[in-house]
Amino acid sequence: MGAKTLTLKEKILGANDETADMNRKLLDTHRVLMINIMSSPGSGKTSLILRTIERLKDKRRIAVIEGDVASSIDADTISRRNIPAIQINTGGGCHLDARMIRKALDSLDLDSLDLIFIENVGNLVCTADFDLGAQKNAVILSVPEGDDKPYKYPAMFVEADVVLVNKIDVLPYFDFKLDAFPAIIKGFNPSAGVFPVSAKTGEGVDDWILWLTRIFHGFSAARGAQEGVDTRRAQ
Ligand code: MG
């Protein structure tokens, strides 16, 4: 029984990885940077995406793909800002997969976009197993969840290109040791950036925006060099 289960999981993940690679190629062709944002429920994914949109909307053309088990509450909130938003309901599934993302990408006008944020289903476990084809993965951990989560859910943090510690406005009320936290992340993933932020007050958001801008410029320059075309769109 155990061997069969393992084989099935390998097949599912193998098929998912193939679709994820195709998604990445599609995005590269259209020179769109996609960032997969993962976290547990209630850590502030939507709030941070809204804060990011507010800061970047005059410079970058943004869309959001929202993953939830049910409802279109988050996509409706994003749409009210005049930002294209696609809601995916997994109907009980605890994560998005590359095929769902491909459907969403096919319904977006990729030539009219620079940046896509995926808000994955709130879950610190299975979302990390499924490559969606995003060029970068971001993990949000909020202060009330505690600074021990990387030890309990390591896969998520190993996959992350950046870790955002959200809700730093409530640090005085919790035992989250922010000073020691970057060293914990380094133990799992030496190259991940760690940014303390408050989506509510805006504190620390400058550093996250700077990271995003650097990633976007690097991505655009690399795509431009690959295609032998100019990179003025990245300016
Ligand atoms: Mg949300």
Side-chain angles (χ1 to χ4, degrees):
M1 287 292 279
K4 275 185 189 165
T5 307
L6 185 64
T7 308
L8 182 61
K9 190 181 176 190
E10 279 170 1
K11 273 189 183 165
I12 290 169
L13 289 179
N16 182 76
D17 286 352
E18 275 177 32
T19 310
D21 282 340
M22 288 195 287
N23 289 350
R24 232 177 328 266
K25 279 185 191 132
L26 179 71
L27 292 163
D28 283 356
T29 303
H30 292 272
R31 302 174 75 184
V32 177
L33 176 65
M34 185 162 77
I35 302 193
N36 174 27
I37 301 179
M38 296 175 283
S39 80
S40 56
S43 65
K45 290 186 293 303
T46 313
S47 306
L48 195 70
I49 287 170
L50 287 171
R51 181 65 82 169
T52 306
I53 286 170
E54 184 187 297
R55 294 288 299 272
L56 288 179
K57 70 176 191 297
D58 295 333
K59 295 176 190 154
R60 307 276 175 247
R61 300 166 300 170
I62 303 171
V64 179
I65 299 172
E66 287 286 344
D68 281 295
V69 170
S71 94
S72 62
I73 293 170
D74 287 350
D76 294 344
T77 306
I78 303 285
S79 295
R80 281 197 288 275
R81 269 76 174 178
N82 293 319
I83 297 290
I86 309 284
Q87 181 76 51
I88 300 172
N89 285 142
T90 61
C94 61
H95 61 85
L96 293 173
D97 64 34
R99 196 179 41 86
M100 297 172 190
I101 295 300
R102 179 55 188 246
K103 279 191 182 164
L105 292 179
D106 285 343
S107 67
L108 287 166
D109 177 10
L110 296 179
D111 284 329
S112 72
L113 294 173
D114 299 311
L115 200 52
I116 297 174
F117 293 107
I118 299 172
E119 179 175 344
N120 213 316
V121 178
N123 188 312
L124 275 183
V125 185
C126 51
T127 48
D129 276 344
F130 286 81
D131 183 359
L132 303 181
Q135 293 95 340
K136 297 289 172 191
N137 289 312
V139 173
I140 303 176
L141 178 67
S142 65
V143 166
E145 293 170 73
D147 54 14
D148 58 350
K149 292 301 168 290
Y151 298 110
K152 295 182 174 179
Y153 305 97
M156 183 70 65
F157 295 89
V158 169
E159 295 295 326
D161 296 291
V162 61
V163 178
L164 296 146
V165 181
N166 192 24
K167 306 191 187 179
I168 55 169
D169 48 298
V170 297
L171 268 171
Y173 309 104
F174 293 89
D175 292 329
F176 195 108
K177 294 178 187 65
L178 189 59
D179 290 348
F181 191 70
I184 294 175
I185 294 299
K186 229 175 189 44
F188 291 93
N189 183 343
S191 61
V194 179
F195 299 116
V197 297
S198 167
K200 190 178 174 72
T201 67
E203 192 182 350
V205 171
D206 282 353
D207 292 334
W208 156 239
I209 297 294
L210 192 61
W211 182 88
L212 267 177
T213 303
R214 281 187 183 143
I215 294 293
F216 186 80
H217 281 186
F219 168 76
S220 291
R223 294 293 86 70
Q226 239 172 38
E227 294 164 18
V229 297
D230 70 69
T231 57
R232 274 175 295 178
R233 241 178 83 174
Q235 306 307 308

